[in-house]
Amino acid sequence: MEKISNYINGQWIAPVSGAYLDNVNPATGTVYSLIPDSDNRDVQLAVDAAKAAFENWSGLLPEKRHAVLARLADLIDRDADALSLAESIDQGKPVKLAKSMDIYRAGANIRFYATAAMHMASEAHASGNEAVNYTLRTPVGVAGCISPWNLPLYLFTWKIAPALAVGCTVVAKPSELTPMTAYLFTRLCREAGLPDGVLNVVQGLGPKVGQAIVDHPDIPAISFTGGTVTGKKITSSAGPMLKKLSLELGGKNPNIVFADADFEKAVSTSISSSFTNQGEICLCGSRILVEQSIYDRFVAEFVRQTRELVVGDPLDERTRIGALVSEGHLRKVLGYIDLAIQEGGKILTGGRQVTIPGRCEKGYFVEPTVITGLNQQCRTNQEEIFGPVVTIQPFESEEEAIRMANATTYGLSATLWTSHLTRAHRVSAKLKSGIIWVNCWLYRDLRTPFGGTRQSGVGREGGWEAMRFFTEAKNVCIRL
Ligand code: NAD
């Protein structure tokens, strides 16, 4: 059985403990590889390597860092098929989606920051004839990057790329549920010529490896994507150490459909925004709010299209809904469906675990599920389920739609369907979300700031925001 290694100082090495954890293929429910059960000793080795590599990497001309990162992006594209297969087996998502979304975007992330490395500029301010001030941005040092399981290589690269581009060295930890693509990625780093110690990947459990990264005194900046509960835990450790923190956390995103929207587009994109990646995308719209006058028509068409989604083997090209990431997550999602029924919800379609005959018989599959009849205050509409489960509710007016949309403690993303230009601007301004998509979903321009408000996180990633996060700004004032 394949044993995944840590990648420290350019070497693939076993964890100091010598212990390994099972890595399960969620589509078959079987262990298919082993992952290092690392601890603070492995993190210490990684920090030592990252510190040793820092001076050279941060001192390179930006075009040299660009050249290595650009090669790395090309290698991801070259190996897209193998990486997509690995991502699908690790996470349960359809292989087709792994290729078009995760692996495509992993290459795009690295390429974007490879070029940004050459274009990042700083500011200068002339104070009349008296002084010149300029801002010197220097890499913060060793960056800690911790990523989740839902978009494994996509989010792993999204974190490490800006850090590497500005000249930080990195200690990174992918999720213990999806370690494989980050491991394969380290092979590409070597091939691309990334110097030893610049990227170090320590695999293992959150409370052991993740916490050791957060607590390490020589890691001054932590970029984290994951659940809100974990984000708060990280804050309670890193806050008193005055570390820089970027937290991308959970969501419970509204998807608002006005009667004047392009109906066909609103329905078909809402199917994607509800169920892509089994609903395991932080940006999925899990609360659909529909204007009363088109409510019945919308629900009927939405349910019809939901029933057409093929739940099945992630390796089958026809599959739209693959396996949930783990047995624990399957139980959690099914538990929320039970809760919705207890809270008075009506299941219009779905609601059950699915058994796929053949090699996926023991996999963790759930039908895409549509629920109506719940208010916004119930737990089903307040808590992040992170599965193929959506609720639909009618609204009477623009004010009511805004009130319902803002009725949770989260604030990650919102989607708005309307052909009314001024309404699009007006409602967008009133939604408490970090990203608002109008007549589209998941469209991303990597230059734009990305992140949530309220319980969905603090800080912004993307574009210059992420690069600035990994730097210290120093003002130099020269009196003339
Ligand atoms: P999680 O919080 O359980 O784990 C995320 C990462 O943190 C993993 O690598 C985990 O091992 C690690 N971790 C766990 N405990 C830790 C600790 N004490 N210290 C340091 N690291 C620790 O989240 P998950 O279940 O892997 O991912 C799903 C969550 O991520 C959902 O809530 C989803 O909304 C969120 N998410 C948010 C975004 C975003 O951009 N806002 C994107 C993707 C996922």
Side-chain angles (χ1 to χ4, degrees), residues 39 119 135 346 412 450:
D39 57 34
H119 297 285
T135 308
K346 186 171 170 208
L412 187 51
F450 173 90

Side-chain angles (χ1 to χ4, degrees), residues 15-95:
V16 175
S17 67
Y20 286 81
L21 304 160
D22 289 342
N23 186 24
V24 174
N25 174 346
T28 61
T30 53
V31 177
Y32 85 101
S33 61
L34 297 172
I35 136 166
D37 185 8
S38 311
D39 57 34
N40 57 328
R41 293 169 292 175
D42 304 280
V43 171
Q44 186 59 53
L45 293 175
V47 173
D48 291 344
K51 280 169 71 178
F54 180 70
E55 195 175 330
N56 276 345
W57 181 248
S58 59
L60 285 181
L61 286 174
E63 55 259 44
K64 302 260 186 212
R65 286 200 292 273
H66 158 80
V68 176
L69 294 174
R71 268 201 301 278
L72 190 50
D74 289 345
L75 293 175
I76 293 175
D77 293 351
R78 183 198 69 186
D79 286 1
D81 286 338
L83 289 166
S84 306
L85 184 62
E87 190 95 316
S88 170
I89 292 171
D90 234 16
Q91 201 260 334
K93 60 166 45 84
V95 66

